[in-house]
Amino acid sequence: MGRLDIRPVTPTIGAEIHGVDLADLPMEDFETIHGALAKHQVLFFRDQDISVEAHKSFGARFGELAVHPNDPGLEGHPEVMIIHADETSKRVAGEMWHSDVSCSLEPPMGSILRMFVVPPNGGDTLFASMYAAYDALSDGMKAYLDGLTAEHDGGPYYREVNRIIGRGDGGKSYPSAEHPVVRTHPVTGRRCLFVNSMFTTRLVGVPRAESDAILAHLFDHVKNPLFQCRFTWRPHSVAFWDNRCTQHFAVWDYYPHVRSGYRVTVKGERPV
Ligand code: SIN
């Protein structure tokens, strides 16, 4: 595929892309990256010491940027989420399997995280393919889930985050939406599992006990290492993941060290 060097991380998910400057991206490279994201679901780039403006411009080539419903963002750049942990942190972003802001009516298509301070070791991010998770279900479970919808509610998670960090939210309301449990990716046409333990609260039209049991099974199922890759950050590494067909998990094993980055999130479409 063109002049970029694309190195798959596993046969299932993830690729490192070399020979590219995200701040100065010719159309040919943009198209290669677009195609590689569809194929590998999460892309990794090294040595991208780019400005906030260049980070936002790169994201904006894939779609309009989203503002996070519970994060104030970087001063002057509400679309830029600060990902930061140090010795005073009581929590970190993304420390459970999730797809970003799936509680939104139109959940983001992708997120682009650039890390500039990394701990001496640890602080990896795990990514899991929801194509692989869906494909590995039994035919009976696929038949059961196809056609079901689930509620994704931002309230319980975001309120808990605010409670832990002592941030008042003034009784604010958070996004909540009903999405298909199995969605079809708008670019690849492949089916993937679209429930996650951060936001999915119940299967719609299913008795509570059954919904809880099925969701618990699916939340456990997506953790299978066969569906995963793991990324070890270096300063100025960038990860670009497709939220429609992946979940991720940020490992907080480096306390009390510092880990800092900026994330931009690209708006997506209503799942079908
Ligand atoms: C997130 O966006 O969920 C955080 C990911 C990370 O810090 O690695």
Side-chain angles (χ1 to χ4, degrees):
M1 264 217 286
R3 58 191 201 89
L4 300 187
D5 176 12
I6 302 177
R7 302 177 199 164
V9 178
T10 78
T12 304
I13 180 172
E16 280 210 16
I17 301 201
H18 296 264
V20 69
D21 176 1
L22 298 184
D24 182 17
L25 197 66
M27 182 52 81
E28 182 194 349
D29 290 355
F30 166 75
E31 282 165 2
T32 303
I33 289 172
H34 197 273
L37 185 67
K39 180 171 179 187
H40 299 286
Q41 307 144 61
V42 54
L43 303 177
F44 306 113
F45 306 87
R46 299 291 188 187
D47 305 318
Q48 302 293 326
D49 187 1
I50 61 175
S51 65
V52 170
E53 281 74 19
H55 188 171
K56 283 172 38 175
S57 300
F58 174 64
R61 292 183 75 165
F62 293 85
E64 206 182 322
L65 300 184
V67 172
H68 195 275
N70 192 44
D71 191 277
L74 181 64
E75 203 179 335
H77 302 276
E79 324 85 337
V80 177
M81 184 176 175
I82 301 172
I83 302 288
H84 178 85
D86 60 30
E87 79 284 356
T88 67
S89 299
K90 298 189 173 70
R91 61 159 308 257
V92 301
E95 207 195 2
M96 62 199 291
W97 285 104
H98 68 289
S99 170
D100 292 325
V101 202
S102 71
C103 52
S104 164
L105 198 59
E106 296 183 335
M109 66 76 70
S111 302
I112 305 166
L113 176 58
R114 185 175 77 90
M115 206 61 77
F116 38 84
V117 180
V118 301
N121 43 56
D124 293 355
T125 308
L126 311 183
F127 295 89
S129 168
M130 292 303 106
Y131 294 135
Y134 176 72
D135 290 347
L137 295 171
S138 68
D139 288 346
M141 183 57 90
K142 284 178 184 155
Y144 173 81
L145 296 178
D146 282 350
L148 276 183
T149 60
E151 178 185 80
H152 295 235
D153 187 357
Y157 178 71
Y158 292 135
R159 283 193 199 96
E160 178 63 5
V161 167
N162 294 336
R163 189 193 64 74
I164 293 169
I165 65 176
R167 178 169 66 195
D169 62 11
K172 175 174 164 182
S173 59
Y174 291 97
S176 174
E178 191 176 321
H179 297 310
V181 170
V182 178
R183 73 182 288 187
T184 303
H185 194 284
V187 177
T188 64
R190 291 180 66 190
R191 294 165 85 68
C192 47
L193 201 54
F194 196 65
V195 291
N196 67 85
S197 51
M198 192 176 275
F199 297 114
T200 311
T201 45
R202 68 184 176 96
L203 299 174
V204 175
V206 171
R208 190 75 209 195
E210 180 177 324
S211 167
D212 288 350
I214 296 286
L215 285 177
H217 168 68
L218 295 176
F219 296 159
D220 194 47
H221 174 73
V222 302
K223 297 177 190 162
N224 188 330
L226 283 174
F227 313 150
Q228 294 175 18
C229 70
R230 181 176 187 121
F231 186 58
T232 300
W233 298 88
R234 299 201 291 259
H236 308 301
S237 297
V238 168
F240 182 2
W241 59 89
D242 186 332
N243 279 300
R244 299 167 294 193
C245 58
T246 66
Q247 293 191 33
H248 56 286
F249 184 114
V251 182
W252 192 21
D253 55 357
Y254 51 89
Y255 182 88
H257 294 287
V258 178
R259 180 178 183 270
S260 266
Y262 291 154
R263 190 185 98 188
V264 303
T265 306
V266 182
K267 286 186 180 177
E269 59 286 291
R270 207 164 174 172
V272 288

